[in-house]
Amino acid sequence: MSDETIEEQAPEKLPLDGWHRAQGGRMVPFAGYEMPIQYEGIVAEHDWTRQHASLFDVSHMGQLGVSGEAAGEELEKLLPGAITSLKEGRMRYSLLLEENGGILDDLMVTNAGPQYGLVVNGACKWDDIAHLRDHLPDEITLTHYDENALLALQGPEAVGALSVLVPEAAELVFMTSDYFDWDGVPLWISRAGYTGEDGFEIAVPAEHVEKLADALVADDRVKPAGLGARDSLRLEAGLPLYGHDLSTETDPVSADLIFALTKKRREAGGWLGHEHVMQLFDDGPARKRIGLKIDGRMPAREGAEVFAGDTMVGTVTSGGFSPTLGHPIAMAYVDTAHTEEGSELEIEVRGKRLSATVTSMPFVPHNYYRGSK
Amino acid sequence: MPRYFTDEHEWIDVEGESATVGITDYAQEQLGDIVFVELPSVGTMLDKGGDAAVVESVKAASDVYSPINGEVTEANGALEDDPALVNTSPEDEGWFFRMTIGDASQLEGLMDEAGYKAFVDSL
């Protein structure tokens, strides 16, 4: 076989490609797209998000619609969460699973009224579409909204900035969504995100996304932020990243995502992977995803081995320096015997042992808006 | 005092029998916010092109190579408390380590300031 047949395709450009470059974004290939990793700097963008509001372009993610009679029931055969009981405008975090319980992707599913909306990871979207099409009956329509862009406006001042353009969006609470009209442009806005902060995700037709991005950053509270800050923010928030902390080699129980397995559905079953996942649920997993606080300043990265004395007990799946906390943090899969909060472990980095303590996640408290008290 | 550059974006200042090594402004700009620098200990024997130090930015770890052969005589302790010095003053206060000059002829293969500038412009 010649090399030519396996040549990789050049990354695609996002609808906002020119806008990112004009804003000073440094573009890198990610999930098949050229995406901004940073503008002024990862730490500055990270801190700005925690204090004010940042605009992230997440248009690489897959926006899917599932419609047809009994679409909810059909989705429940593939997702371990309660879908049919999801009220209109409500959303939940869920997982696409293999028969053996391996995680194909993590996603957000929304009852969008006439249909269910799914937002899936960019790097997985084509495989997800194939998986859904394979398993959903022909009467169920699967639509890929690839003409839509997706922006995430995240941070404590996101609500103030978005309210200037769409006042009614301020009434959404965490994990709810609705249609809004902005100057004749239809927006599907969800109060959600992946930074641990209050904020919104805004689906917008690609031809209007530049106008919307301009209008948002015209507000002094909002600056663009890149993939680098998105990664350090989600790590501090304890949120797993598919392809690193989640994969087909992991399962919902080991990944400590039991909250995504609705109790009723755990008991009733009827979803792909149920048997294997419940076996792990009942027996307890051999290893579990945990958080580690690391002493000193040297970060431990993905792939670093975790030790209890001389015994290797786990592997780091995400790690970096926490700008908010001022020390390194990591997620790791560790043998269950060593996952109790406060357990002292060591991580090997370039032949050195770093002291680490098992810590509950999130590392930095979430700041979601759940309604006025 | 002459300053030389490598195509891996290290600089080396030569002063008599001793040399000071750091990374260039271009390198720190590419790496972004630096949070930790792992420096070689005094007495370490370095080979030209071999691993000498590791720079950890928020996003990744990057190797720093030795521009020439020699023995480490001093490491910049200021980077322990303030690794961001590499971002704010890469070619001065943010130096990495000092070393002996094991083989002066190795300096001849390195770039001067004008050569390095042209190299960076070509990237």
Side-chain angles (χ1 to χ4, degrees):
Chain A
M1 216 169 77
S2 92
D3 284 350
E4 290 154 47
T5 56
I6 51 167
E7 213 169 287
E8 290 214 5
Q9 280 185 308
E12 287 186 56
K13 286 185 169 26
L14 297 168
L16 273 184
D17 187 81
W19 189 88
H20 292 308
R21 292 171 199 272
Q23 296 279 334
R26 184 182 296 167
M27 308 299 278
V28 298
F30 181 83
Y33 294 87
E34 286 182 48
M35 297 193 62
I37 185 144
Q38 64 170 67
Y39 301 83
E40 60 175 308
I42 294 173
V43 173
E45 292 161 29
H46 180 109
D47 292 344
W48 187 267
T49 314
R50 290 267 181 256
Q51 288 155 17
H52 305 283
S54 293
L55 185 66
F56 300 85
D57 184 1
V58 289
S59 302
H60 64 301
M61 298 186 86
Q63 300 180 59
L64 310 178
V66 178
S67 59
E69 207 176 319
E73 284 81 355
E74 291 299 336
L75 275 174
E76 284 197 341
K77 295 178 184 169
L78 301 177
L79 304 174
I83 308 299
T84 51
S85 60
L86 207 54
K87 292 194 175 68
E88 192 169 328
R90 296 259 161 197
M91 57 202 292
R92 81 166 51 235
Y93 175 82
S94 196
L95 301 162
L96 280 176
L97 301 175
E98 295 181 312
E99 181 74 56
N100 71 2
I103 301 173
L104 292 166
D105 201 2
D106 63 340
L107 55 87
M108 288 289 185
V109 53
T110 306
N111 179 347
Q115 65 174 350
Y116 289 92
L118 307 184
V119 176
V120 302
N121 279 299
C124 306
K125 64 185 174 187
W126 300 110
D127 289 340
D128 291 351
I129 289 168
H131 175 81
L132 289 164
R133 199 58 282 173
D134 268 359
H135 288 86
L136 292 171
D138 291 345
E139 312 83 83
I140 300 293
T141 307
L142 180 65
T143 313
H144 182 198
Y145 292 98
D146 55 357
E147 73 284 14
N148 263 9
L150 189 64
L151 299 179
L153 183 68
Q154 300 281 298
E157 294 180 350
V159 62
L162 187 59
S163 300
V164 176
L165 308 183
V166 189
E168 309 79 27
E171 289 161 28
L172 292 172
V173 296
F174 183 57
M175 296 298 267
T176 65
S177 53
D178 209 344
Y179 274 111
F180 297 89
D181 176 274
W182 171 59
D183 234 359
V185 176
L187 304 178
W188 176 257
I189 303 180
S190 307
R191 197 148 192 174
Y194 222 58
T195 60
E197 292 298 325
D198 182 23
F200 302 86
E201 290 192 343
I202 309 165
V204 52
E207 67 265 32
H208 298 295
V209 65
E210 191 160 334
K211 187 172 100 168
L212 179 60
D214 278 335
L216 287 168
V217 299
D219 193 304
D220 285 345
R221 293 169 284 194
V222 181
K223 288 186 184 186
L227 289 173
R230 190 170 154 79
D231 189 48
S232 53
L233 289 159
R234 70 91 198 163
L235 180 59
E236 286 186 347
L239 301 170
L241 182 63
Y242 195 83
H244 301 269
D245 311 301
L246 306 178
S247 72
T248 50
E249 302 297 310
T250 63
D251 60 85
V253 181
S254 308
D256 199 18
L257 298 175
I258 287 167
F259 75 93
L261 314 173
T262 314
K263 185 161 182 282
K264 250 185 172 162
R265 305 221 53 228
R266 281 204 310 259
E267 289 158 5
W271 39 275
L272 198 64
H274 176 258
E275 193 186 327
H276 284 84
V277 170
M278 287 317 290
Q279 186 92 48
L280 285 160
F281 183 82
D282 292 335
D283 299 350
R287 35 174 223 149
K288 212 170 86 175
R289 182 175 64 95
I290 49 134
L292 290 167
K293 170 190 183 296
I294 300 169
D295 288 355
R297 288 187 65 93
M298 194 199 287
R301 309 283 180 182
E302 182 174 0
E305 295 180 342
V306 181
F307 288 84
D310 290 335
T311 315
M312 187 194 147
V313 296
T315 308
V316 170
T317 51
S318 280
F321 191 84
S322 161
T324 305
L325 301 172
H327 60 71
I329 54 174
M331 282 183 205
Y333 278 79
V334 168
D335 293 350
T336 315
H338 302 281
T339 54
E340 201 176 319
E341 205 180 318
S343 299
E344 299 288 338
L345 298 171
E346 288 183 322
I347 308 177
E348 194 166 294
V349 180
R350 297 187 292 273
K352 289 197 180 70
R353 290 286 183 93
L354 310 180
S355 299
T357 310
V358 177
T359 309
S360 67
M361 293 192 283
F363 297 101
V364 172
H366 292 161
N367 181 31
Y368 300 138
Y369 177 72
R370 298 178 191 275
S372 48
K373 292 175 184 105
Chain B
M1 125 180 104
R3 172 171 288 197
Y4 302 92
F5 296 85
T6 71
D7 55 9
E8 296 286 352
H9 307 286
E10 292 95 14
W11 55 262
I12 175 167
D13 273 349
V14 178
E15 206 176 359
E17 299 297 299
S18 170
T20 306
V21 176
I23 66 167
T24 65
D25 187 48
Y26 175 85
Q28 71 77 21
E29 167 70 29
Q30 290 298 309
L31 292 170
D33 303 294
I34 289 161
V35 296
F36 182 80
V37 183
E38 189 180 345
L39 295 168
S41 36
V42 171
T44 306
M45 296 303 297
L46 298 176
D47 293 327
K48 177 183 166 70
D51 292 344
V54 180
V55 193
E56 296 268 7
S57 70
V58 175
K59 60 175 186 260
S62 309
D63 291 319
V64 173
Y65 307 107
S66 182
I68 56 169
N69 295 355
E71 182 179 349
V72 177
T73 55
E74 189 183 350
N76 185 0
L79 297 185
E80 235 168 86
D81 300 325
D82 189 9
L85 274 177
V86 180
N87 291 122
T88 54
S89 182
E91 303 196 18
D92 184 21
E93 286 176 73
W95 60 278
F96 278 34
F97 55 89
R98 295 206 165 93
M99 67 189 299
T100 62
I101 299 169
D103 179 356
S105 74
Q106 288 177 338
L107 294 167
E108 287 161 25
L110 303 177
M111 288 176 269
D112 62 10
E113 186 132 25
Y116 179 69
K117 189 181 178 302
F119 171 66
V120 166
D121 288 345
S122 75
L123 295 176

